[in-house]
Each structure stands twice: as C-alpha cells, then as structure tokens.
Amino acid sequence: MTRVLLAPDGFKGSISAAAAAAALAAGWRAVRPGDAIVELPMADGGEGTLDAFLAAVRGARRMPVTVTGPDGRGVAASWVLLPSTDDAPHGTGVVELASTSGIELLDGALRPFDADTRGFGQAIVAALDHGVSRLVLAIGSSASTDAGFGMLAALGARITDAEGDDVVPGLRGVQTAARIDRDGLRALPTGGALVLTDVRSPLTGPAGAAAVFGPQKGLGPEDVTAADAALARAAVMLGTDPAHPGTGAAGGTGAALRAWGAELVPGAERVADLLSLAEAVGGADVVVTGEGSFDASSAAGKAPARVAARARAEGRRVGLVAGRIASDADTTGFGAAVALADLAGSTGAALGDPGRWLTAAGAALAEQLG
C-alpha cells in the first residue's frame, strides 16, 4: 500500500484546490484502489484559501455573512472559524478578500476608480464581533486600488478630504483623501492578525500596486502615474513605509493592514504551516501538487513550489499536475509531470472540463508513481 498526499493549489478561473484534490483522488483510486490517500488542498492567500482551511482543519466552520461587493452590490460571502487552540482560545477567524472584494465578483466591466475593499472589512468586523482571538487574512485577487481605505472605513476609521467630508469609495476617494481619523477604528484581536499574500510588491514605484497590478484592474497608462502618486500620499496618511514588501498587495490593502498592526507574511509558506503540511508530508510515500499554469515564476514562493520543496527534503517521490506546463518551467525535480492540456488535446478542452482531466491526470500519476 502506498500512502499518497494530494496537495494541489487551485487552478485559477477553472477549479478550486479542494475540487482538484478530489478529482485527482478519484483518478488515483481507479488505478490503485488499495492506496491510502490524504487530500490537503493548498492556497497562497488568494481565491480558495477558505476552502483549503475548511478541508484541512477538523472542526472548521463556515460563517455566512452578507457584505458590500466591489461594485456596491450585496454579496453572500462567508468567513471561516477555526477551533480554539492554546494561542487562540476563542478561535481563529479566516477572512478572504477574494470572496468579499475580489475581481471575480465584478459583473461585467472593471471598476478601476470605484471598486473598493469595504466588503472585506465588513467580513473582518463579523469575525471580530464573534469574538475570535486571532485573524488570518488572505488578500489575493482584489478588484481595486483603494489602499485598503474601504476596509479601514468598515473597521471604523473615517477618511476625509481637505474640506472634512467623507471620501467616496475606491481609488477616486484615495485621490482626494487628506486625513484618516482612527478614533473609531476597531482594535486587533488579542492574538493579532496574520496577512497572507503571494505578492511581495511595495506600495509605490515601478514595481508597486498601480504600476504592476493597476492595468489588470482597468487602469490605463495615463492613469498609473496619478494612481501611484495617490498611493504615495496614502502611505503618509497611514504612517507606513511604502517600500515594505507586501504593502502593494491587493491594491495597497497590505499597507493599510500593516498600519492597523497586522503582520504581512508569505501566503504559501504560512498556509503550509497552518495546515500542517510538514506532518502530512511525513506520513506520505508520494506527494502530488499542482496549479493551473506551471512556469518559471512558479518557483517564486507559490504553493506548489512550497509543497514540492518540503516533499523533496523528506525524500518523498513528487508528482506535478498543471493545466499547462510552460516551456520555461523546470520540472527536473518531479518524478512525473502531467499537463491537462496535453491529456485533453488543447488548453480550451482542459478548461472546459477540468474535473474530467484532473481525474485522468490522477490515474496517469498513479501508474507512474504508485
């Protein structure tokens, strides 16, 4: 009997990490029904982080909440309550920006000047109102470049312009903001807050939030310079260093969270710790990981790289599955590597039915690594 750990990340825009792990497991069992399989879906702070905790942590509970989405409409969202521990006697609240203020929630056109992070802040408030001892905040996949001002407003801060009026939501409000009044700002829980992000960008400059991620959210070339200047002024109001790694994450939400007192940490690394990846790898003979697109950038701190590194350090056989494997990707450390696009005959076919092709990939990996 082979002990198998299936620890994929989500396949962005296609299938969640939990569903990917389940499909891989079905394929593996079809070939080797006697093997012992553990499913441990991974995440790096983006979409799917809540599902990863729900699947991996016994006793985790989904807590429904309705929030204001990035386009101003109500969104039926949730946060996750993790069970009590010695360092978090009243539990830990896991809140995900992707499902409360994420770009995937926009219905139609992007809103580069008006989308904001209020919904994310409202979900954090719900966790605080529940009485959690600690927060884990995942801030990938944002829709806005609002410097986290929407989140701070939901947490009780008042952000005003030069005339003392409340600013409007989004980047448009950041551009007119002159003062942040923190008198009503909610305090961190006693156990503090960890911020999970796979982005280590600074807030401003050529590698900052506006320059690198603004175009993905709808900013034109002529808008980036003005947005960067607004973020620089926001850093002064927040009293935070705009060069600090991760402050540019989620359109500057990393900077606002750091100013609130939260700790910015690499998402994939800390999620792996929180989900006890090391223990799971130690109990396996074979480890399979993966993501939607595996390329040269995958080695730079993403979840599959973290899983593979841990498995190799323990001397385990390692398999890779990806929607596509780019020509610049280094797969030499994997005992087997399978691309769904190759199995399906094209990227479009793989995207059209990812569950089917992940099941086929699980079977192929079982034949090669079992």
Side-chain angles (χ1 to χ4, degrees), residues 39 178 266 300:
E39 298 170 33

Side-chain angles (χ1 to χ4, degrees), residues 38-65:
V38 172
E39 298 170 33
L40 188 70
M42 301 300 295
D44 56 16
E47 184 180 3
T49 299
L50 292 187
D51 290 338
F53 279 97
L54 282 167
V57 180
R58 181 172 298 178
R61 288 194 289 148
R62 189 182 292 276
M63 310 293 285
V65 62

Side-chain angles (χ1 to χ4, degrees), residues 170-356:
L171 174 59
R172 206 178 300 279
V174 179
Q175 291 176 322
T176 63
R179 184 171 183 270
I180 300 176
D181 181 349
R182 307 188 196 200
D183 287 349
L185 184 65
R186 297 286 293 266
L188 288 170
T190 55
L194 292 177
V195 181
L196 310 176
T197 174
D198 63 346
V199 172
R200 306 303 291 159
S201 299
L203 179 62
T204 58
V212 175
F213 302 105
Q216 300 172 10
K217 301 170 185 179
L219 289 181
E222 69 283 359
D223 303 320
V224 168
T225 300
D228 191 67
L231 291 174
R233 293 192 298 272
V236 175
M237 285 181 274
L238 290 167
T240 194
D241 178 6
H244 188 84
T247 52
T253 303
L257 286 167
R258 186 166 185 260
W260 189 39
E263 179 186 1
L264 306 184
V265 298
E269 178 180 344
R270 195 52 64 93
V271 169
D273 291 342
L274 290 167
L275 298 184
S276 301
L277 174 66
E279 180 180 345
V281 169
D285 302 305
V286 175
V287 177
V288 175
T289 189
E291 62 182 341
S293 178
F294 191 81
D295 54 31
S297 69
S298 297
K302 292 189 177 181
R306 177 67 51 183
V307 173
R310 170 60 66 177
R312 292 186 196 111
E314 296 291 333
R316 301 317 192 242
R317 302 194 301 279
V318 189
L320 170 70
V321 59
R324 61 179 286 272
I325 299 176
S327 58
D328 63 355
D330 181 8
T331 61
T332 55
F334 294 96
V338 176
L340 303 189
D342 293 341
L343 292 175
S346 70
T347 299
L351 288 170
D353 195 353
R356 172 188 174 186

